[in-house]
Every structure is written in structure tokens, then in C-alpha cells.
Amino acid sequence: MNIRSKTLAVATLGCKVNQYDTDAVLTQFLEAGYTVVDFDEKADVYIINTCTVTNMGDRKSRQMIRRAYRNNPSAKVVVMGCLAQTSPEEVGEIEGVNLIVGTDQRGRILELVESLEITQRESLVEDIFAVRDFEELSVTDFAGRTRAVIKIQDGCNQFCSYCRVPYARGRSRSRHPQNVIDHVESVVRGGFKEIVLTGIHLGLYGRDLNPPVTLESIIQQIADIPGVLRLRLGSIEPHEITDQLLELVANNPVVCEHLHIPLQSGSDRILERMRRSYTTGEYREIVEKVRAEVPELAVTTDIIVGFPGETEQDFLETMEFAEEMGFSRLHVFKYSKREGTPAASFPQQIPNKVKNIRSKRLIKLGHSMAQDYHRLFLGKTVYVLVEEVRDGMAEGLTNTYIRSVFPTSYGEELVGQIIPIRAIKADKQGILGECV
Ligand code: 5AD
Ligand code: SF4
């Protein structure tokens, strides 16, 4: 009799939400006695959680699927997530794929893997727009020992003209508040100090529930749970920053002084074509309003360069606007033409060469803004949640999301603690400090 436990290898492409979904599937397999091995080892089961936000996401997802089959041609290969949802036929044609699951019904993966024969191919992908309920799955947290990422919402109803996400994730659906609270309480018992709330379109949280609840109310409830020392919010759209939310960021010591507000472009002409629902003027007004209450607020953002029709003038407006906003961190995306989205058929698609140049310029500006932001803290005390201690140096993040290092005579026992340090040096990477 073979008593060796079965092995599982996973690969996750893309965002934090995908990471969470992978963890939920991993939880099922661990509970069933599987052992997790490295992706390049010979495993019995491979799971690839795919991304389709850009062409690069598609390409990397396909690469990982092929790699799984190469690593062990007699393994069962499961492909889940956004690319599987939008292109199940294409995924099904890749050699070795046994099970295709989209962005729902992830709870059935284990059962199906166990019952499928290696020669079989099954698809669970269905019309995602028909799915109206948040798929509640339990998650044991492995991702790290300091920050627990908790998904509370899935889907997006906004349909920005460049974005494939709504087709991959379906309508907005929210996790029941009691399940959110229970989950947070369990990770706090597990020793986590920081909770990161995540979703595909977090600002829509609660609107689909009956009775509806608000994002602000769930934030307040989580912040009230003893043991939650930090609460960080994922991406939030400008018009979703209400006075109540501002109040929480400004006055609740648990809520991080950090907002990720996607800008996408600093040109009003382009914003309109992107079908974004704000102007640069409105964006500025919101950031100024929050900064009036929280002067040291960290504002991070996503910007797309090379959207169809983006002129040099539009791009310069983006550069100028970004500089004016003083972002502490930029995520720069080169526009990627996504099949099925309106912008894919817009005229004046921008050549790759131009996208590359614009991306480099903007990334450079991002680095200089990061450095300026980090320098604001020189000589001041910041609080670092320690993630790692190595060679006498501790490393972690401040509540304003600044990567910080400082020398220490302590070891691993510092991990998970929040330590005050004085910032003595700052560069584009972060802060060097000393214990106070
Ligand atoms: N091309 C490039 N970037 C994109 N994003 C979404 N769709 C595209 C696309 N087609 C970026 C947006 C979003 C982030 C998660 O991905 O900036 O905020
Ligand atoms: Fe995509 Fe826009 Fe929805 Fe964000 S808000 S997921 S960019 S459609």
C-alpha cells in the first residue's frame, strides 16, 4: 500500500485577490492531507491560477500551464481564474489540462480532482454574469506571518473601456459581514496584526447585500476587533472616498494613512475615453480634502500609458498631474489591447516603442516622487511592522507603506511586532532607521 501523501504544486499569476483565491483552494487540499511542493518538482496535482488583465498575464499563465505538464506529464493539471473564465476553449487546447474552473465554483476543485481520470478533461466554466453570490470559502492563512489579506468582495460593474476584469469576474458580489468578522477574528487569533482588505472593486462592498451595508461600516467593525492593530484598504476609486471614509482614515488609529486611488490618466480627454467616472479636477479635490486632514497621507496609484489616442500632450498632462499629486508609489501599466473590450477597436493605437518610452519616463518620475515622500519622514518616528530579520537587520512596512530597515540585536522574535524607529536616511526604496 502506498502511504505517501499526495503532492500539490500551485502557481498564482496577477493580483492579491488571485493570491487569496489560491489560498482558499490550497486550504481544501491541505485539509485533505496533500503536501505542497515547489512548482518545479514532480507533483501529483498542479493548479495554475491565471490572470488576464494584460497580454502579459495571458502569456505567463499559458507558460505556467505548459510548465506543469512538462514537470510531470502524468499529473492532473487544474487551470482556474481569470484567463480560464474568459478563454476556456483556448485553455482546454493546451496539452495536459484536466480541469478548467473559472472565477466561481472553486469549492468543487478538490472533489473533481479526486474523481477525474488523468485522461479526462472537464470544464466548470459557466456564465459568470449569472453568478450573484460571493463564493464563501474558508482560508487558512499561509501568505505571511505579518499581514493577512482578506477578500471581502469580488467582481466589478464599471466596465472601463480598456478592462477585461468585469468579463472575467462578473457582477459585484460581497461577502457577508459576519463571515468577514469571523475570518478577521480567526487570523487575529493566529497572530496577525495587520489586515489588508481586498476586492476587485472594493468600493462596491455591501451594495448587493440584503439589507445593503457599507464599506465604512465593515471597516469600523473590523477596526473595533481587539488585536487588529492595522487595517489597510485595497484599491479605492476616487468617488468612493466618502466623508465617512475620510473620517476613519483621519481619526481611527487602526486604519492606515494610506490610500490606493487608481488614476489611470492625468488627461481629462483620455479619462473620458477610458470611461472613468471622474475628472482630474475631481481627483485633485478628493486628494486635497484627505490631505487637509491627514497631511502625511500616502497616496499610491495605477497609471496606464499608451491608451489609444494618447498624444504626447496627454502624456505630459499625466506626468504633470502625477507630480502635483506627489504619489508615494506608482504602478505603471503599458496599455494592453484586450479582445472584447471597447478600447481594443479604438483608432490610433499607440506603437510599443512609444509605450515603452512613456512607461520608462513615468517610472522614473515615480521613483523620484517616492524618494521625496520618504524624505518627509527624516528625523521623525515611524512605526514598522517587522516582516523579516536577517543578518542583524529588520525589515518591514510603515503604516504609510514605506519599506523600512533598521539594525537590531533581536532575531526572529521581532517578526510580527510593530517597532518605532527614527528615520535617518531615505531613498527611493524606503527608509533606513534606528531604534528609538
Ligand atoms: N492594459 C493595461 N493595464 C490595464 N489595467 C487594467 N486593464 C488594463 C489594460 N488593458 C491596469 C489598471 C488597473 C490595474 C489593476 O491594471 O491600471 O488599475
Ligand atoms: Fe477594471 Fe475599471 Fe473595474 Fe477596475 S474599476 S476592475 S479598471 S473595469
Side-chain angles (χ1 to χ4, degrees):
M1 197 176 79
N2 185 5
I3 53 160
R4 179 185 75 92
S5 79
K6 287 191 236 165
T7 54
L8 168 74
V10 295
T12 306
L13 289 298
C15 64
K16 281 203 186 93
V17 172
N18 252 18
Q19 188 60 57
Y20 182 90
D21 292 340
T22 299
D23 286 350
V25 177
L26 258 178
T27 300
Q28 303 166 26
F29 280 82
L30 288 176
E31 282 171 2
Y34 280 73
T35 308
V36 178
V37 299
D38 198 75
F39 199 81
D40 281 327
E41 282 181 41
K42 204 168 172 178
D44 297 310
V45 179
Y46 291 88
I47 298 180
I48 299 96
N49 194 0
T50 57
C51 170
T52 190
V53 74
T54 59
N55 280 313
M56 184 67 92
D58 287 5
R59 204 175 320 137
K60 287 189 179 159
S61 301
R62 286 192 296 260
Q63 269 170 14
M64 291 312 275
I65 302 168
R66 285 194 289 265
R67 198 154 122 197
Y69 183 67
R70 268 204 312 277
N71 290 344
N72 182 8
S74 55
K76 290 179 185 168
V77 176
V78 181
V79 183
M80 63 182 277
C82 293
L83 179 65
Q85 180 67 50
T86 53
S87 315
E89 292 86 13
E90 185 199 310
V91 165
E93 278 164 18
I94 305 176
E95 193 169 14
V97 173
N98 297 102
L99 180 60
I100 309 161
V101 184
T103 53
D104 190 47
Q105 301 204 58
R106 291 157 288 217
R108 293 184 56 202
I109 295 179
L110 172 67
E111 157 214 331
L112 276 156
V113 164
E114 303 252 279
S115 65
L116 270 182
E117 296 296 329
I118 189 80
T119 50
Q120 283 178 299
R121 178 168 297 170
E122 176 117 24
S123 172
L124 283 188
V125 178
E126 21 135 56
D127 175 12
I128 196 66
F129 292 112
V131 177
R132 289 303 157 98
D133 293 323
F134 184 91
E135 189 185 19
E136 182 63 45
L137 297 166
S138 68
V139 176
T140 317
D141 289 85
F142 331 91
R145 274 179 300 170
T146 52
R147 295 197 293 159
V149 175
I150 296 191
K151 177 172 120 178
I152 66 170
Q153 182 276 343
D154 206 334
C156 180
N157 308 337
Q158 190 156 306
F159 295 92
C160 298
S161 64
Y162 51 82
C163 189
R164 211 177 177 191
V165 170
Y167 309 92
R169 291 275 174 177
R171 313 286 303 171
S172 176
R173 44 208 193 274
S174 307
R175 192 172 185 188
H176 194 279
Q178 192 56 52
N179 293 336
V180 177
I181 301 297
D182 291 348
H183 191 176
V184 174
E185 285 176 343
S186 86
V187 301
V188 169
R189 280 196 299 275
F192 287 87
K193 306 267 196 317
E194 178 172 327
I195 305 294
V196 183
L197 286 188
T198 182
I200 294 291
H201 191 150
L202 199 58
L204 295 179
Y205 177 77
R207 297 189 194 178
D208 58 307
L209 294 174
N210 187 15
V213 297
T214 62
L215 178 65
E216 293 83 350
S217 74
I218 195 77
I219 293 172
Q220 181 71 60
Q221 285 178 71
I222 295 171
D224 288 343
I225 296 174
V228 174
L229 300 189
R230 274 189 188 174
L231 177 54
R232 194 180 299 282
L233 301 181
S235 193
I236 186 119
E237 297 282 314
H239 54 271
E240 287 156 358
I241 301 172
T242 59
D243 287 350
Q244 255 176 308
L245 186 67
L246 194 166
E247 155 81 21
L248 283 161
V249 176
N251 300 324
N252 193 310
V254 168
V255 181
C256 288
E257 295 165 342
H258 170 209
L259 292 172
H260 184 83
I261 320 173
L263 172 65
Q264 313 299 6
S265 172
S267 151
D268 287 327
R269 207 176 64 84
I270 296 295
L271 283 175
E272 195 180 335
R273 293 182 185 207
M274 286 178 157
R275 265 209 242 153
R276 300 290 292 167
S277 53
Y278 52 87
T279 61
T280 49
E282 286 160 359
Y283 190 102
R284 176 190 292 114
E285 216 172 279
I286 286 153
V287 170
E288 283 176 353
K289 195 164 158 187
V290 191
R291 284 229 174 96
E293 302 286 325
V294 190
E296 285 168 352
L297 179 80
V299 184
T300 55
T301 201
D302 296 345
I303 296 178
I304 297 175
V305 296
F307 184 80
E310 184 187 71
T311 61
E312 181 64 17
Q313 179 58 33
D314 292 317
F315 176 69
L316 288 176
E317 284 177 22
T318 297
M319 292 278 282
E320 274 167 30
F321 188 76
E323 196 168 5
E324 186 196 334
M325 290 300 103
F327 294 113
S328 64
R329 196 188 171 105
L330 285 188
H331 293 189
V332 178
F333 294 82
K334 285 181 256 185
Y335 170 72
S336 174
K337 193 171 162 179
R338 306 311 288 142
E339 199 100 5
T341 61
S345 49
F346 285 2
Q348 298 168 290
Q349 298 282 330
I350 306 296
N352 269 333
K353 211 173 130 192
V354 176
K355 286 183 201 168
N356 287 334
I357 295 170
R358 290 182 185 165
S359 159
K360 283 203 184 108
R361 287 162 73 187
L362 194 55
I363 289 171
K364 200 167 157 206
L365 172 65
H367 289 158
S368 105
M369 287 190 293
Q371 170 152 322
D372 290 346
Y373 181 73
H374 301 159
R375 286 196 172 150
L376 288 178
F377 296 88
L378 283 174
K380 296 186 184 163
T381 299
V382 295
Y383 293 83
V384 179
L385 175 55
V386 178
E387 290 170 6
E388 199 182 9
V389 183
R390 215 193 308 147
D391 304 327
M393 294 296 279
E395 184 182 333
L397 289 169
T398 63
N399 64 344
T400 52
Y401 213 68
I402 305 177
R403 188 137 298 277
S404 305
V405 293
F406 62 92
T408 176
S409 51
Y410 290 95
E412 284 285 297
E413 63 273 24
L414 221 56
V415 173
Q417 312 261 19
I418 296 180
I419 308 291
I421 62 165
R422 185 177 312 106
I424 51 177
K425 269 192 186 157
D427 63 12
K428 67 178 187 198
Q429 313 284 359
I431 283 174
L432 172 71
E434 57 188 10
C435 285
V436 293

